[in-house]
Amino acid sequence: MTLIRDLIELPEQVTRGDFVYALGSGVKDAEGTVRSYVVTPHLVEHFDEALTFIKGALDTGKSRGTYLHGSFGSGKSHFMGVLNLLLQGELNARSIPKLAGVVTRHDAWLAGKKFLMVPYHMIGATSLENAIFSGYVQHLRERHPDAPTPAVFRSQELVNNADRLRRQMGDDAFFAELNKNKGTGGTDARWGALAAGWTVASYERAKAAGPGTEDYRRLTGDLIDVFFPSIRREGEFVPIDEGLSVISRHAKSLGYDALILFLDEMILWLASKAGDHQFLTSEVPKVSKLAEPDRNPRPAPIISFIARQRDLRELIGQNVTGAQSLNFADQLKFWEGRFNTIQLEDANLPFIAEQRVLLPKSPEAKAEIDAEFERTKHIRTEVMNVLLTRHSDQQAFRRLYPFSPALVETLVAVSSLLQRERTALKIMLQLLVDQNDTLQLGELVPVGDLYDEIAQGDEAFSSDMKRHFDTAHRLYRQQLRPMLEDDNGLTFEEAEKLDYRDPKREALRNDDRLIKTLLLAALAPEVDSLKNLTPARLAALNHGTIKSPIPGQEANIVLKKVRKWAGQVGQIKISEGSAQHVISIQLTGVDVEAILAKAETQDNFGNRIRLLKSTLFEQLGIAAGDDLWVEHKFRWRGTDRRCKIFFQNVREAGYDTLEEHGEEWKLVVGYPIDRENRGPKDGLARLEGFRTDRGSARTLVWLPSLLGSQAQKDL
């Protein structure tokens, strides 16, 4: 028995950070970055595309932006790292054999060009200005520690503080300190006009010139460097368009031809704030400024590379509903149309996996694997077609062996639903390590084995997807797993104590794989390999696990098993009445989302208020109507009474609405939702203001708390 571990290099365990490339530290380790990078034919084209894109920005002198679009683990960060090294002229990167043609083709225009390249990791930033400008300043401190700080911080209060400090220190001490980094004679020849020493006259002249002028920017930069260095970490920033112009001029003054921003994780960062509508409304429009300035000039063009694993509209769509969703989609469409896209295809994965996960230990080991794959190729055509998928071929299958293209297609799709640490390469390696002592040469990794690696919902990307994963895992744990144990007369705990090749253990394990393949299909229904799962396809995806004394009868065995299971667990569905039975597991009931999607335009603030009003008044037994207020008549203690009922945002209510001087009473019922998400305290403040200005009135106010986020979503 030859185990896979005897033929390929496998670690003893897989750690959380494996295959996660950190751009900031990666570009500092040029040798390591290049050594671990696998260049495929597609990637050669993309490096040529990226360099041509940069050349276009230089030729036109205009800022430009492009997405690096690809699934989780497709190598977006690593691509940016190698591109960074190529633009630096770093020898290790220029010596990559497969990039020799690209390097030669672009050498002529790259010669003599100087790029300031800033890598970013966006997670944790409070705003786009905070991320870009603080990242620029931090990178500048590493590359040019003596260079003046660009004036990207809000500065009026800063200059006022400096004036107070000047009065305390006296002019002599103040200017001596301010000019201490300027060198002999008050200037530093390395920075030319940027480093002229300050005098009383030049200081006052710069102050008088005001924000937006070069002298003022230079003054605030020097004040930050000398007296207020903490502002580089904590300060507020100028508006995005103005700040981009500032860092462009700053980079140009340092001798750079272009400023290149590598914005890793930016779409993830925006998506992480998906529940904060105010944040999205504020931040999303700023992104277009990277490629499309308003007024401020940029002498050094700013070229932005933005890593994107999924369309932002997909990532946040579950948190932005109704008309807000449509408005947000329009915003995204506007600024996304201003960016180019470089698509990192999933077709690169077999090449990368071959080098980084499935590398044979020796030429002899490779020959042994090649020979076994030749035997595998002769399985039945219908099984091979399922394993290959519509998008792959036998050459890719060989590169992935003992994985199948169908497994990898499923893996890529499911990985995109998980956090970044769960990349396709990492899960592939984890599968091999988990089966270190059991997976033999000649066996394929069944698709069902993927479920154990991805079923933990705590790593799902969004809260909605987490609930979907949790539903699947709960169904498995509470119903499907006990059903399999009863059916096989063996618990999973008992099976673990048996020899791996014990028939009882194998039977339970193989039934488990079928069930888990169905769960994967429910979690990722868009995957071609998992669509229309017939018994034959289900057996093929787990090739080698269903044993039949008569070849070709595996589908009948699967159908018999699944029919028995469907009689015990109602969520297992089999389409009857056709030649091809299709098997599925239903995780949800009615597809409410598809119904609601057709009526998104109806979901706006005004209609929500109308629905709340009609629902509340129905419960009160009062006809609501469409008028501003309702006159309600009732009998109380033998007397006919009347009152006016208003449904009103108390925070915004006019005093005339709140006031009532007659004998009748007025009831004002406050909204339980608010456009600006402001709560009852603001309503109480409005009432206190009324009491102060107008005194008392025959008015009662019902001031409710705001509905919680889930209640608003239900509404």
Side-chain angles (χ1 to χ4, degrees), residues 450-574:
L450 276 178
Y451 183 82
D452 288 333
E453 298 302 328
I454 59 90
Q456 303 307 313
D458 59 332
E459 291 195 348
F461 184 81
S462 67
S463 58
D464 291 314
M465 186 53 62
K466 181 181 185 303
R467 285 193 293 273
H468 204 41
F469 274 68
D470 287 344
T471 300
H473 201 47
R474 185 166 53 250
L475 175 64
Y476 172 75
R477 188 176 60 254
Q478 295 179 357
Q479 297 187 57
L480 298 175
R481 181 179 169 116
M483 175 196 73
L484 294 177
E485 292 177 331
D486 290 343
D487 199 31
N488 285 272
L490 183 72
T491 68
F492 281 88
E493 289 76 13
E494 292 169 343
E496 287 297 318
K497 300 175 183 178
L498 300 176
D499 182 79
Y500 183 77
R501 293 299 174 183
D502 187 291
K504 291 184 177 180
R505 175 172 174 166
E506 277 195 313
L508 178 61
R509 176 68 171 141
N510 291 336
D511 286 353
D512 193 44
R513 284 164 165 155
L514 296 177
I515 287 293
K516 287 175 176 174
T517 305
L518 292 171
L519 287 171
L520 286 170
L523 290 170
E526 74 283 359
V527 180
D528 281 348
S529 297
L530 301 180
K531 290 180 179 177
N532 300 319
L533 283 181
T534 63
R537 289 181 63 81
L538 196 53
L541 291 171
N542 297 280
H543 177 66
T545 63
I546 306 300
K547 305 294 194 301
S548 170
I550 304 175
Q553 294 300 305
E554 292 84 2
N556 290 333
I557 295 174
V558 170
L559 182 59
K560 183 179 178 181
K561 286 177 179 290
V562 175
R563 275 183 170 153
K564 181 179 179 181
W565 298 338
Q568 302 174 58
V569 177
Q571 286 88 341
I572 300 176
K573 307 293 182 182
I574 306 175

Side-chain angles (χ1 to χ4, degrees), residues 391-455:
H391 311 291
S392 193
D393 54 33
Q394 291 193 0
Q395 288 75 24
F397 194 173
R398 169 60 192 93
R399 292 188 175 96
L400 294 168
Y401 190 75
F403 299 102
S404 66
L407 181 145
V408 172
E409 181 182 72
T410 304
L411 175 54
V412 168
V414 176
S415 293
S416 70
L417 306 177
L418 304 173
Q419 299 288 13
R420 183 170 181 260
E421 287 78 5
R422 305 290 285 173
T423 63
L425 291 177
K426 180 179 177 181
I427 294 178
M428 292 172 72
L429 183 60
Q430 186 68 62
L431 285 168
L432 294 177
V433 171
D434 288 346
Q435 302 181 37
N436 206 7
D437 298 326
T438 56
L439 185 63
Q440 299 180 40
L441 181 64
E443 294 179 337
L444 295 176
V445 178
V447 169
D449 286 359
L450 276 178
Y451 183 82
D452 288 333
E453 298 302 328
I454 59 90

